[in-house]
Amino acid sequence: MNELYQKHETEINEILSRYPENFKRSAIMPLLFLAQREKGFVPQEALAQIADITGVSETDVASVLGFYSLFQETPGGRYRIQVCTDLPCALRGSETYLKNLCEALGVKTGEITEDGLFSVEAVKCLAACHRAPMFQLQGDGEIKYYENQSVELTMQIIEGIRASVASEKEGKHG
Amino acid sequence: MGNYILLRHRDVADIDQLDGYRKADGFAAFEKAIKTMTPAEVTLEVKNSGLRGRGGAGFPTGVKWGFLPNNIWPHYVVANADESEPGTFKDREIMESNPFQFLEGLMLASYAVQANTAYIYLRGEFWQLANHLNQKIKDLENAGLLGEKIKGSNYSLKIYTHLGAGAYICGEETALLESIEGKMGQPRLRPPFPAVEGLYAKPTLVNNVETLTNLPPILQHGADWYRTLGTEQSPGVKVFCLSGCIKNPGNYELPLGTTYRDLIYNYGGGIVEDRAIKAVMSAGASSDIVVANDHTLDTPLAYETCLERLNSPLGSASVIILDETVDMAWLVSKTVNFFKHESCGKCTPCRDGTFWMNNIAGRIVKGSGKPEDVDLLKDVALQMQGKCLCALGEFSTMAVVSAVDRFRPDFEKHVRS
Ligand SMILES: Cc1cc2nc3c(=O)[nH]c(=O)nc-3n(C[C@H](O)[C@H](O)[C@H](O)COP(=O)(O)O)c2cc1C
Ligand code: SF4
Ligand code: FES
């Protein structure tokens, strides 16, 4: 089998075991999440690897990758700040919050901060409408919710992440 | 019994731990079912309770279970935890804080239709929640409540979570099944219905998280008890998600039949800054915009009364409150933008219709529309109605038509030159 499989053999076998033997195709989405975990986007070579593991064509995998918005095909900021600006959140000021947050970070939506760490986007309802403004943070293979936000609170969270990334780097050098 | 039937974590602090849940009568219903009741008896009890699906359509749950044929095997059960309708955040609270009651409900439904495999389909953003549920599932396996021949019975069951990846349409049950099969989340033509030909072309039951969470108390206390709550045609309790221009947004577990007025002013604390209320929506972005007059406010929130009195389905009971400051043209531009974004693109009326509605509503709100755009917007919506492959297309037109009809001045003020 291929490199992706060899690297994550136990985990991939566990994923495959959730679905009937003759419907390996069901593993495509979990495998895309796995392939995306490392770099924050699905690298090109993963398509053939996933096709190989699930016994479908590369085109089939690509169609799934393209259809779902949580799968990324290109690199972005290491952390994606996704602010909900859908109707209920907008009624509670999330559009203004997003605008002010962008200003505080010195970016427009879709752009990456100077340090290459963060990008900010507006997204649709995340099932947290009663705790707006809110955002989800996608990065390092995880998705976390931050609710009842103000720009000040969010900037504190961002500084916290910056600090831990910096100490991570120092750790590597030291 | 405490104050809550579904949101029991508000009564019992450690109910999210297996020990805590068991101490609070957890799995009494399931053990009773697998040891002393036939699957048909479980189904009959649920049928008698009058429980209706909480995912939006309100279809009688026990009746739906009866549709699975007994000559095609295996059967599958899928818990719909996609929860993506703007204004809906109840299933998340249930799964986060009262996870075992939901899982017990899923196990009861699985036993009733004799499925040995069940999937929980969660929207991809519920990544943390999926990890949390996986842990709880492991706890159940370790306690012998899931797996082979559970508690000495002949019944075996496995539960798996499956994450979506950011597509509202996957809440529609046939798109959801496509998604579990590793395909694009596009709805299937019906018939065949999932009950006959669902996941992997086998008979499949799809139920919403809240629907399933009702099952343990119904099996434990009986259908007659359940019917003491709610209305004749809408028995039981419902979690109302209250959001928008309201002082205390949040989840409220109340008997079906609670009036809008009670929900908004008694439980929700009234309108932000005590402003006047303008309109309400009860099914998230998929709602009509209903003028909030006395007739509306006195309407009991139940499946039949919302239809009879307001001609507007209760849906998922995601109640969005709109006060006097809300511009309905802006609101419509928000909802159509959502549906344009989420249309799966399979059928032309919805794909093109949502595109054009988004376009027209957008230019109206930006001030670059023409007076005739208001009628054009409504016209596109009317032309879509009845022609779309799934309900999403229909949903996208609800707010448009009702807002243009009922709040025309809000649109006209943008297009007067
Ligand atoms: C566009 C669309 C989105 C839907 N989203 C959801 C959802 O997020 N959660 C849900 O439970 N049902 C959703 N439904 C309803 C499901 O198709 C299905 O009716 C429901 O899961 C059945 O469960 P119930 O009988 O327990 O309500 C949606 C339907 C449509 C048409
Ligand atoms: S109505 Fe819309 S969402 Fe439904 S199948 Fe057609 S394009 Fe897809
Ligand atoms: S509208 Fe923002 S989380 Fe629901």
Side-chain angles (χ1 to χ4, degrees), chain B residues 349-386:
Chain B
C350 169
R351 186 184 58 237
D352 288 8
T354 53
F355 174 85
W356 283 110
M357 289 196 300
N358 182 54
N359 205 306
I360 301 165
R363 71 178 182 240
I364 290 175
V365 173
K366 276 201 200 97
S368 51
K370 299 189 211 83
E372 52 275 27
D373 278 346
V374 182
D375 284 326
L376 182 63
L377 175 62
K378 182 180 158 189
D379 203 46
V380 175
L382 290 177
Q383 284 192 42
M384 289 172 68
Q385 289 184 344

mmCIF file of all heavy atoms in Angstrom, chain B residues 349-386:
data_model
loop_
_atom_site.group_PDB
_atom_site.id
_atom_site.type_symbol
_atom_site.label_atom_id
_atom_site.label_comp_id
_atom_site.label_asym_id
_atom_site.label_seq_id
_atom_site.Cartn_x
_atom_site.Cartn_y
_atom_site.Cartn_z
ATOM 1 N N PRO B 349 -33.763 24.631 -10.943
ATOM 2 C CA PRO B 349 -34.564 25.693 -10.309
ATOM 3 C C PRO B 349 -33.908 26.233 -9.038
ATOM 4 O O PRO B 349 -33.884 27.446 -8.808
ATOM 5 C CB PRO B 349 -35.888 24.994 -9.984
ATOM 6 C CG PRO B 349 -35.936 23.810 -10.864
ATOM 7 C CD PRO B 349 -34.522 23.397 -11.137
ATOM 8 N N CYS B 350 -33.354 25.341 -8.223
ATOM 9 C CA CYS B 350 -32.750 25.772 -6.966
ATOM 10 C C CYS B 350 -31.390 26.419 -7.212
ATOM 11 O O CYS B 350 -31.094 27.481 -6.675
ATOM 12 C CB CYS B 350 -32.633 24.576 -6.021
ATOM 13 S SG CYS B 350 -31.634 24.875 -4.555
ATOM 14 N N ARG B 351 -30.565 25.775 -8.032
ATOM 15 C CA ARG B 351 -29.221 26.310 -8.268
ATOM 16 C C ARG B 351 -29.297 27.717 -8.858
ATOM 17 O O ARG B 351 -28.677 28.656 -8.371
ATOM 18 C CB ARG B 351 -28.441 25.374 -9.198
ATOM 19 C CG ARG B 351 -26.986 25.762 -9.401
ATOM 20 C CD ARG B 351 -26.321 24.847 -10.418
ATOM 21 N NE ARG B 351 -27.019 24.896 -11.699
ATOM 22 C CZ ARG B 351 -27.528 23.836 -12.323
ATOM 23 N NH1 ARG B 351 -27.425 22.640 -11.789
ATOM 24 N NH2 ARG B 351 -28.153 23.972 -13.481
ATOM 25 N N ASP B 352 -30.100 27.868 -9.911
ATOM 26 C CA ASP B 352 -30.204 29.177 -10.565
ATOM 27 C C ASP B 352 -31.080 30.138 -9.779
ATOM 28 O O ASP B 352 -30.798 31.323 -9.686
ATOM 29 C CB ASP B 352 -30.761 29.020 -11.990
ATOM 30 C CG ASP B 352 -29.727 28.404 -12.912
ATOM 31 O OD1 ASP B 352 -28.679 27.972 -12.399
ATOM 32 O OD2 ASP B 352 -29.979 28.337 -14.122
ATOM 33 N N GLY B 353 -32.156 29.610 -9.207
ATOM 34 C CA GLY B 353 -33.080 30.463 -8.461
ATOM 35 C C GLY B 353 -32.410 31.120 -7.264
ATOM 36 O O GLY B 353 -32.542 32.325 -7.051
ATOM 37 N N THR B 354 -31.669 30.334 -6.496
ATOM 38 C CA THR B 354 -31.011 30.927 -5.315
ATOM 39 C C THR B 354 -29.940 31.919 -5.765
ATOM 40 O O THR B 354 -29.733 32.945 -5.134
ATOM 41 C CB THR B 354 -30.384 29.850 -4.400
ATOM 42 O OG1 THR B 354 -29.519 29.013 -5.170
ATOM 43 C CG2 THR B 354 -31.443 28.994 -3.733
ATOM 44 N N PHE B 355 -29.280 31.615 -6.884
ATOM 45 C CA PHE B 355 -28.277 32.547 -7.417
ATOM 46 C C PHE B 355 -28.919 33.893 -7.738
ATOM 47 O O PHE B 355 -28.438 34.949 -7.326
ATOM 48 C CB PHE B 355 -27.618 31.947 -8.672
ATOM 49 C CG PHE B 355 -26.678 32.891 -9.360
ATOM 50 C CD1 PHE B 355 -25.358 32.996 -8.950
ATOM 51 C CD2 PHE B 355 -27.121 33.706 -10.413
ATOM 52 C CE1 PHE B 355 -24.490 33.878 -9.578
ATOM 53 C CE2 PHE B 355 -26.256 34.588 -11.044
ATOM 54 C CZ PHE B 355 -24.942 34.680 -10.624
ATOM 55 N N TRP B 356 -30.043 33.852 -8.436
ATOM 56 C CA TRP B 356 -30.687 35.110 -8.843
ATOM 57 C C TRP B 356 -31.321 35.845 -7.672
ATOM 58 O O TRP B 356 -31.254 37.064 -7.579
ATOM 59 C CB TRP B 356 -31.699 34.864 -9.963
ATOM 60 C CG TRP B 356 -30.970 34.686 -11.264
ATOM 61 C CD1 TRP B 356 -30.834 33.529 -11.977
ATOM 62 C CD2 TRP B 356 -30.203 35.684 -11.960
ATOM 63 N NE1 TRP B 356 -30.031 33.742 -13.074
ATOM 64 C CE2 TRP B 356 -29.631 35.045 -13.102
ATOM 65 C CE3 TRP B 356 -29.929 37.032 -11.743
ATOM 66 C CZ2 TRP B 356 -28.815 35.731 -14.004
ATOM 67 C CZ3 TRP B 356 -29.121 37.710 -12.650
ATOM 68 C CH2 TRP B 356 -28.574 37.068 -13.761
ATOM 69 N N MET B 357 -31.924 35.096 -6.758
ATOM 70 C CA MET B 357 -32.510 35.764 -5.584
ATOM 71 C C MET B 357 -31.413 36.468 -4.790
ATOM 72 O O MET B 357 -31.592 37.579 -4.309
ATOM 73 C CB MET B 357 -33.242 34.751 -4.693
ATOM 74 C CG MET B 357 -34.522 34.224 -5.312
ATOM 75 S SD MET B 357 -35.597 33.406 -4.097
ATOM 76 C CE MET B 357 -34.547 32.091 -3.530
ATOM 77 N N ASN B 358 -30.270 35.817 -4.669
ATOM 78 C CA ASN B 358 -29.150 36.409 -3.940
ATOM 79 C C ASN B 358 -28.666 37.682 -4.638
ATOM 80 O O ASN B 358 -28.401 38.704 -4.013
ATOM 81 C CB ASN B 358 -28.019 35.381 -3.839
ATOM 82 C CG ASN B 358 -26.830 35.890 -3.049
ATOM 83 O OD1 ASN B 358 -26.994 36.324 -1.916
ATOM 84 N ND2 ASN B 358 -25.660 35.868 -3.638
ATOM 85 N N ASN B 359 -28.594 37.571 -5.945
ATOM 86 C CA ASN B 359 -28.160 38.690 -6.762
ATOM 87 C C ASN B 359 -29.113 39.901 -6.616
ATOM 88 O O ASN B 359 -28.685 41.022 -6.339
ATOM 89 C CB ASN B 359 -28.181 38.180 -8.211
ATOM 90 C CG ASN B 359 -27.234 38.942 -9.077
ATOM 91 O OD1 ASN B 359 -27.327 40.148 -9.117
ATOM 92 N ND2 ASN B 359 -26.340 38.234 -9.760
ATOM 93 N N ILE B 360 -30.401 39.629 -6.776
ATOM 94 C CA ILE B 360 -31.388 40.715 -6.744
ATOM 95 C C ILE B 360 -31.492 41.303 -5.335
ATOM 96 O O ILE B 360 -31.468 42.529 -5.161
ATOM 97 C CB ILE B 360 -32.772 40.213 -7.236
ATOM 98 C CG1 ILE B 360 -32.662 39.667 -8.662
ATOM 99 C CG2 ILE B 360 -33.799 41.335 -7.175
ATOM 100 C CD1 ILE B 360 -33.856 38.837 -9.100
ATOM 101 N N ALA B 361 -31.601 40.430 -4.331
ATOM 102 C CA ALA B 361 -31.716 40.938 -2.957
ATOM 103 C C ALA B 361 -30.464 41.730 -2.597
ATOM 104 O O ALA B 361 -30.540 42.768 -1.928
ATOM 105 C CB ALA B 361 -31.915 39.778 -1.980
ATOM 106 N N GLY B 362 -29.312 41.251 -3.047
ATOM 107 C CA GLY B 362 -28.056 41.941 -2.768
ATOM 108 C C GLY B 362 -28.057 43.351 -3.336
ATOM 109 O O GLY B 362 -27.694 44.318 -2.658
ATOM 110 N N ARG B 363 -28.495 43.479 -4.584
ATOM 111 C CA ARG B 363 -28.447 44.829 -5.171
ATOM 112 C C ARG B 363 -29.530 45.732 -4.582
ATOM 113 O O ARG B 363 -29.334 46.938 -4.468
ATOM 114 C CB ARG B 363 -28.468 44.782 -6.697
ATOM 115 C CG ARG B 363 -29.763 44.389 -7.362
ATOM 116 C CD ARG B 363 -29.590 44.448 -8.899
ATOM 117 N NE ARG B 363 -30.835 44.121 -9.571
ATOM 118 C CZ ARG B 363 -30.980 43.099 -10.424
ATOM 119 N NH1 ARG B 363 -29.971 42.319 -10.715
ATOM 120 N NH2 ARG B 363 -32.157 42.872 -10.979
ATOM 121 N N ILE B 364 -30.649 45.151 -4.161
ATOM 122 C CA ILE B 364 -31.669 45.981 -3.498
ATOM 123 C C ILE B 364 -31.072 46.585 -2.223
ATOM 124 O O ILE B 364 -31.152 47.786 -1.981
ATOM 125 C CB ILE B 364 -32.932 45.153 -3.154
ATOM 126 C CG1 ILE B 364 -33.683 44.767 -4.435
ATOM 127 C CG2 ILE B 364 -33.862 45.929 -2.202
ATOM 128 C CD1 ILE B 364 -34.883 43.855 -4.214
ATOM 129 N N VAL B 365 -30.434 45.753 -1.420
ATOM 130 C CA VAL B 365 -29.911 46.219 -0.138
ATOM 131 C C VAL B 365 -28.751 47.210 -0.328
ATOM 132 O O VAL B 365 -28.590 48.141 0.450
ATOM 133 C CB VAL B 365 -29.469 45.010 0.733
ATOM 134 C CG1 VAL B 365 -28.760 45.474 1.984
ATOM 135 C CG2 VAL B 365 -30.682 44.182 1.110
ATOM 136 N N LYS B 366 -27.967 46.993 -1.395
ATOM 137 C CA LYS B 366 -26.853 47.904 -1.657
ATOM 138 C C LYS B 366 -27.325 49.250 -2.190
ATOM 139 O O LYS B 366 -26.537 50.188 -2.327
ATOM 140 C CB LYS B 366 -25.894 47.287 -2.674
ATOM 141 C CG LYS B 366 -24.892 46.350 -2.044
ATOM 142 C CD LYS B 366 -23.678 46.167 -2.956
ATOM 143 C CE LYS B 366 -22.921 44.911 -2.602
ATOM 144 N NZ LYS B 366 -23.280 43.753 -3.468
ATOM 145 N N GLY B 367 -28.613 49.338 -2.543
ATOM 146 C CA GLY B 367 -29.134 50.604 -3.062
ATOM 147 C C GLY B 367 -28.960 50.747 -4.563
ATOM 148 O O GLY B 367 -29.190 51.812 -5.118
ATOM 149 N N SER B 368 -28.551 49.659 -5.214
ATOM 150 C CA SER B 368 -28.390 49.761 -6.661
ATOM 151 C C SER B 368 -29.510 49.050 -7.423
ATOM 152 O O SER B 368 -29.408 48.823 -8.625
ATOM 153 C CB SER B 368 -27.022 49.211 -7.082
ATOM 154 O OG SER B 368 -26.842 47.927 -6.527
ATOM 155 N N GLY B 369 -30.580 48.704 -6.688
ATOM 156 C CA GLY B 369 -31.694 48.033 -7.350
ATOM 157 C C GLY B 369 -32.671 49.025 -7.970
ATOM 158 O O GLY B 369 -32.605 50.224 -7.730
ATOM 159 N N LYS B 370 -33.555 48.485 -8.817
ATOM 160 C CA LYS B 370 -34.606 49.319 -9.429
ATOM 161 C C LYS B 370 -35.932 48.971 -8.766
ATOM 162 O O LYS B 370 -36.079 47.888 -8.198
ATOM 163 C CB LYS B 370 -34.701 49.013 -10.924
ATOM 164 C CG LYS B 370 -33.408 49.299 -11.684
ATOM 165 C CD LYS B 370 -33.689 49.171 -13.188
ATOM 166 C CE LYS B 370 -32.480 48.681 -13.973
ATOM 167 N NZ LYS B 370 -32.278 47.243 -13.989
ATOM 168 N N PRO B 371 -36.920 49.886 -8.848
ATOM 169 C CA PRO B 371 -38.216 49.604 -8.218
ATOM 170 C C PRO B 371 -38.800 48.247 -8.637
ATOM 171 O O PRO B 371 -39.353 47.532 -7.812
ATOM 172 C CB PRO B 371 -39.100 50.755 -8.702
ATOM 173 C CG PRO B 371 -38.153 51.883 -8.958
ATOM 174 C CD PRO B 371 -36.880 51.241 -9.439
ATOM 175 N N GLU B 372 -38.627 47.863 -9.908
ATOM 176 C CA GLU B 372 -39.233 46.600 -10.350
ATOM 177 C C GLU B 372 -38.505 45.362 -9.785
ATOM 178 O O GLU B 372 -38.993 44.233 -9.889
ATOM 179 C CB GLU B 372 -39.361 46.533 -11.874
ATOM 180 C CG GLU B 372 -38.124 46.807 -12.703
ATOM 181 C CD GLU B 372 -37.847 48.291 -12.986
ATOM 182 O OE1 GLU B 372 -38.262 49.167 -12.185
ATOM 183 O OE2 GLU B 372 -37.182 48.565 -13.999
ATOM 184 N N ASP B 373 -37.345 45.580 -9.172
ATOM 185 C CA ASP B 373 -36.605 44.444 -8.598
ATOM 186 C C ASP B 373 -37.358 43.765 -7.454
ATOM 187 O O ASP B 373 -37.164 42.578 -7.201
ATOM 188 C CB ASP B 373 -35.231 44.911 -8.077
ATOM 189 C CG ASP B 373 -34.201 44.991 -9.193
ATOM 190 O OD1 ASP B 373 -34.476 44.443 -10.287
ATOM 191 O OD2 ASP B 373 -33.148 45.614 -8.986
ATOM 192 N N VAL B 374 -38.189 44.523 -6.755
ATOM 193 C CA VAL B 374 -38.907 43.937 -5.622
ATOM 194 C C VAL B 374 -39.854 42.849 -6.119
ATOM 195 O O VAL B 374 -39.876 41.728 -5.587
ATOM 196 C CB VAL B 374 -39.675 45.022 -4.837
ATOM 197 C CG1 VAL B 374 -40.386 44.407 -3.639
ATOM 198 C CG2 VAL B 374 -38.713 46.128 -4.386
ATOM 199 N N ASP B 375 -40.604 43.152 -7.172
ATOM 200 C CA ASP B 375 -41.496 42.132 -7.739
ATOM 201 C C ASP B 375 -40.711 41.017 -8.413
ATOM 202 O O ASP B 375 -41.100 39.849 -8.358
ATOM 203 C CB ASP B 375 -42.464 42.769 -8.749
ATOM 204 C CG ASP B 375 -43.572 43.522 -8.028
ATOM 205 O OD1 ASP B 375 -43.982 43.059 -6.939
ATOM 206 O OD2 ASP B 375 -44.014 44.574 -8.534
ATOM 207 N N LEU B 376 -39.614 41.400 -9.027
ATOM 208 C CA LEU B 376 -38.781 40.400 -9.701
ATOM 209 C C LEU B 376 -38.272 39.368 -8.693
ATOM 210 O O LEU B 376 -38.289 38.158 -8.945
ATOM 211 C CB LEU B 376 -37.602 41.096 -10.403
ATOM 212 C CG LEU B 376 -36.664 40.184 -11.206
ATOM 213 C CD1 LEU B 376 -37.407 39.521 -12.354
ATOM 214 C CD2 LEU B 376 -35.464 40.976 -11.743
ATOM 215 N N LEU B 377 -37.841 39.861 -7.530
ATOM 216 C CA LEU B 377 -37.338 38.978 -6.479
ATOM 217 C C LEU B 377 -38.402 37.961 -6.076
ATOM 218 O O LEU B 377 -38.165 36.749 -6.030
ATOM 219 C CB LEU B 377 -36.913 39.820 -5.270
ATOM 220 C CG LEU B 377 -36.460 39.069 -4.024
ATOM 221 C CD1 LEU B 377 -35.219 38.240 -4.302
ATOM 222 C CD2 LEU B 377 -36.195 40.042 -2.876
ATOM 223 N N LYS B 378 -39.592 38.468 -5.833
ATOM 224 C CA LYS B 378 -40.679 37.580 -5.426
ATOM 225 C C LYS B 378 -41.044 36.624 -6.562
ATOM 226 O O LYS B 378 -41.337 35.447 -6.330
ATOM 227 C CB LYS B 378 -41.892 38.420 -5.017
ATOM 228 C CG LYS B 378 -43.053 37.567 -4.538
ATOM 229 C CD LYS B 378 -44.247 38.382 -4.124
ATOM 230 C CE LYS B 378 -45.498 37.523 -4.191
ATOM 231 N NZ LYS B 378 -46.719 38.324 -4.012
ATOM 232 N N ASP B 379 -40.976 37.145 -7.778
ATOM 233 C CA ASP B 379 -41.317 36.334 -8.935
ATOM 234 C C ASP B 379 -40.373 35.139 -9.097
ATOM 235 O O ASP B 379 -40.817 34.019 -9.376
ATOM 236 C CB ASP B 379 -41.256 37.229 -10.177
ATOM 237 C CG ASP B 379 -42.115 36.665 -11.287
ATOM 238 O OD1 ASP B 379 -43.263 36.291 -10.969
ATOM 239 O OD2 ASP B 379 -41.617 36.576 -12.426
ATOM 240 N N VAL B 380 -39.093 35.375 -8.910
ATOM 241 C CA VAL B 380 -38.133 34.265 -9.000
ATOM 242 C C VAL B 380 -38.489 33.216 -7.951
ATOM 243 O O VAL B 380 -38.527 32.011 -8.230
ATOM 244 C CB VAL B 380 -36.682 34.757 -8.786
ATOM 245 C CG1 VAL B 380 -35.710 33.578 -8.771
ATOM 246 C CG2 VAL B 380 -36.272 35.748 -9.865
ATOM 247 N N ALA B 381 -38.791 33.683 -6.730
ATOM 248 C CA ALA B 381 -39.144 32.749 -5.650
ATOM 249 C C ALA B 381 -40.383 31.932 -6.030
ATOM 250 O O ALA B 381 -40.400 30.702 -5.889
ATOM 251 C CB ALA B 381 -39.383 33.516 -4.353
ATOM 252 N N LEU B 382 -41.406 32.605 -6.546
ATOM 253 C CA LEU B 382 -42.643 31.898 -6.896
ATOM 254 C C LEU B 382 -42.401 30.884 -8.008
ATOM 255 O O LEU B 382 -42.986 29.809 -8.021
ATOM 256 C CB LEU B 382 -43.726 32.898 -7.320
ATOM 257 C CG LEU B 382 -44.277 33.773 -6.186
ATOM 258 C CD1 LEU B 382 -45.288 34.777 -6.731
ATOM 259 C CD2 LEU B 382 -44.912 32.918 -5.086
ATOM 260 N N GLN B 383 -41.526 31.248 -8.935
ATOM 261 C CA GLN B 383 -41.245 30.319 -10.034
ATOM 262 C C GLN B 383 -40.511 29.075 -9.571
ATOM 263 O O GLN B 383 -40.599 28.023 -10.194
ATOM 264 C CB GLN B 383 -40.399 31.019 -11.097
ATOM 265 C CG GLN B 383 -41.226 31.979 -11.933
ATOM 266 C CD GLN B 383 -40.443 32.439 -13.142
ATOM 267 O OE1 GLN B 383 -39.764 31.648 -13.785
ATOM 268 N NE2 GLN B 383 -40.536 33.729 -13.443
ATOM 269 N N MET B 384 -39.763 29.196 -8.477
ATOM 270 C CA MET B 384 -39.033 28.024 -7.962
ATOM 271 C C MET B 384 -39.976 27.048 -7.264
ATOM 272 O O MET B 384 -39.737 25.846 -7.256
ATOM 273 C CB MET B 384 -37.986 28.470 -6.927
ATOM 274 C CG MET B 384 -36.809 29.198 -7.507
ATOM 275 S SD MET B 384 -35.797 29.871 -6.160
ATOM 276 C CE MET B 384 -35.155 28.364 -5.411
ATOM 277 N N GLN B 385 -41.033 27.590 -6.655
ATOM 278 C CA GLN B 385 -41.865 26.769 -5.774
ATOM 279 C C GLN B 385 -42.493 25.599 -6.534
ATOM 280 O O GLN B 385 -43.006 25.763 -7.632
ATOM 281 C CB GLN B 385 -42.932 27.630 -5.094
ATOM 282 C CG GLN B 385 -42.296 28.553 -4.061
ATOM 283 C CD GLN B 385 -43.297 29.379 -3.264
ATOM 284 O OE1 GLN B 385 -44.456 29.514 -3.636
ATOM 285 N NE2 GLN B 385 -42.818 29.944 -2.159
ATOM 286 N N GLY B 386 -42.386 24.422 -5.919
ATOM 287 C CA GLY B 386 -42.957 23.219 -6.510
ATOM 288 C C GLY B 386 -42.080 22.576 -7.572
ATOM 289 O O GLY B 386 -42.442 21.553 -8.138
#
